[in-house]
Amino acid sequence: MTVKRKFNKEAYERSKHAENRVISHLKDHFKIENLGSTYDEDLRIYSKQGDYLCNADIEVRFKWKQKYFPFYSVHIPIRKRKFIKTDKPFFYFAVNSDGTDCLVTHSKHILSSQIVPLTLTYSYGIVKEDFFDVPLTKWKQGFDQLPNYISEHLRKHKIEQKQTKLDSF
């Protein structure tokens, strides 16, 4: 079941700090377009030469208050699938509540994860929603890891695209 949550302006404002932290660690390596949208992906990432490389979404995990993520997996709402199923690679950033640490994963890890139904309590009521249950082993931790992680997975994506083209002959 896919649910469209009500827009929460307070959470959106609190998330701006997290966005700025991620962008600050990427901007020396990539050109970043901050879409500033409430219902679309947050970032488009380009090479320094201006080539459109990938999309990204950033979410603050308000229950993650310490250095290390306290759970064995990260739940990503299934509604985020619309960002993932594009022709561009997709990266998902989870930032802790005070913006001092983050996790990053990419679309292949998300799409290959188990889907779990969860019941959540929001200020406006109880909602049942499906989530990708992405194991913590499929994430890289640390803001300083972001540029290399993205570059590595973009290289792999490019190689896979070339192989797919060769296989189609």
Side-chain angles (χ1 to χ4, degrees):
M1 168 197 257
T2 301
V3 174
K4 188 169 186 175
R5 288 180 18 198
K6 292 181 181 180
F7 178 67
N8 182 326
K9 186 170 175 58
E10 179 185 347
Y12 177 76
E13 292 300 325
R14 289 173 66 190
S15 298
K16 289 306 204 191
H17 175 70
E19 260 182 34
N20 291 335
R21 285 291 313 267
V22 170
I23 290 169
S24 72
H25 282 83
L26 297 177
K27 69 181 181 179
D28 290 341
H29 305 274
F30 305 99
K31 289 183 181 178
I32 307 297
E33 179 183 7
N34 187 344
L35 300 175
S37 177
T38 55
Y39 292 115
D40 289 326
E41 69 270 13
D42 295 322
L43 306 176
R44 287 198 180 135
I45 300 174
Y46 299 83
S47 69
K48 283 292 191 182
Q49 296 74 31
D51 299 319
Y52 179 23
L53 302 172
C54 60
N55 300 313
D57 199 46
I58 304 166
E59 285 198 9
V60 175
R61 298 300 169 132
F62 294 106
K63 291 186 178 184
W64 176 17
K65 298 182 185 303
Q66 60 274 23
K67 167 84 175 148
Y68 297 103
F69 193 73
F71 306 104
Y72 294 109
S73 64
V74 180
H75 294 134
I76 299 175
I78 198 95
R79 61 188 145 77
K80 300 289 183 177
R81 181 172 33 202
K82 67 184 176 184
F83 308 144
I84 300 168
K85 290 196 168 185
T86 67
D87 62 335
K88 295 292 181 191
F90 176 82
F91 293 88
Y92 187 91
F93 302 96
V95 179
N96 67 354
S97 63
D98 61 2
T100 58
D101 214 340
C102 74
L103 297 168
V104 61
T105 195
H106 62 88
S107 48
K108 282 193 171 194
H109 289 321
I110 298 167
L111 293 174
S112 66
S113 296
Q114 182 180 4
I115 295 174
V116 295
L118 297 174
T119 302
L120 306 169
T121 303
Y122 294 108
S123 58
Y124 54 85
I126 296 173
V127 175
K128 290 184 179 183
E129 188 172 1
D130 290 337
F131 288 80
F132 293 106
D133 187 37
V134 185
L136 203 52
T137 57
K138 303 294 184 182
W139 295 79
K140 191 73 162 177
Q141 184 169 356
F143 283 108
D144 59 335
Q145 302 293 316
L146 300 182
N148 288 338
Y149 184 84
I150 291 172
S151 295
E152 173 189 330
H153 286 283
L154 289 173
R155 274 192 298 277
K156 287 179 184 177
H157 178 76
K158 197 172 196 175
I159 291 168
E160 289 168 359
Q161 280 185 317
K162 286 180 182 178
Q163 186 60 46
T164 301
K165 285 180 183 178
L166 289 173
D167 290 347
S168 66
F169 285 115

